[in-house]
């Protein structure tokens, strides 16, 4: 029976690789705001990510699916994740001067969907 568990793990891993499931391994899949960061630092991160960083921040604009809750922390989470998902394969990090952190739980809520592996 010990080998059965290993076989299932190997099969699962091969399945994930062969069909590229986004959520096979959840560890570190999303980049969100650090709850210890100040609104000032988070806003600077949003401004950079949505500007020079090239994140798609359209979903956090008024009347869009990720505008609510309308907090700096929630908007930063969306912007940070958008930037990181788009650029992590080129070496981008989820840090934003300590304002961001990686999480393994999908932060999506309602109609607001956070991108995972592109």
């Amino acid at each position: 029976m010990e080998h059965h568990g290993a076989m299932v793990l190997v099969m699962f891993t091969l399945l994930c690789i062969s069909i590229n499931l986004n959520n096979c391994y959840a560890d570190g899949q999303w980049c969100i705001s650090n709850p210890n960061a100040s609104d000032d630092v988070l806003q600077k991160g949003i401004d950079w990510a949505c500007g020079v960083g090239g994140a798609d921040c359209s979903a956090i604009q008024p009347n869009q699916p990720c505008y609510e809750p309308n907090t700096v922390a929630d908007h930063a989470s969306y912007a940070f994740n958008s930037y990181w998902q788009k650029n992590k394969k080129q070496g981008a990090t989820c840090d934003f001067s300590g304002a961001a952190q990686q999480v393994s739980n999908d932060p999506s809520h309602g109609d607001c969907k956070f991108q995972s592996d592109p």
Side-chain angles (χ1 to χ4, degrees):
M1 284 298 194
E2 291 175 29
H3 295 289
H4 179 69
M7 178 61 90
V8 170
L9 180 60
V10 168
M11 290 173 58
F12 179 73
T13 301
L14 291 174
L15 176 66
C16 288
I17 292 167
S18 68
I19 61 174
N20 193 23
L21 292 175
N22 288 338
N23 294 318
C24 287
Y25 298 101
D27 292 341
Q29 280 197 328
W30 292 274
C31 179
I32 64 167
S33 62
N34 181 333
N36 298 318
S38 70
D39 281 358
D40 214 27
V41 171
L42 292 173
Q43 187 62 55
K44 287 177 185 172
I46 293 170
D47 294 344
W48 186 88
C50 295
V52 175
D56 179 1
C57 296
S58 59
I60 57 175
Q61 300 304 311
N63 301 314
Q64 295 303 309
C66 298
Y67 182 71
E68 296 291 340
N70 182 14
T71 68
V72 174
D74 283 291
H75 289 184
S77 289
Y78 191 87
F80 293 171
N81 188 66
S82 175
Y83 165 79
W84 185 66
Q85 296 293 345
K86 180 180 175 184
N87 296 291
K88 67 183 177 181
K89 290 183 180 165
Q90 289 79 37
T93 62
C94 172
D95 185 62
F96 290 87
S97 299
Q101 63 183 3
Q102 288 182 30
V103 296
S104 59
N105 294 326
D106 185 349
S108 298
H109 52 278
D111 289 334
C112 179
K113 304 301 180 201
F114 278 60
Q115 178 184 352
S116 59
D117 295 328

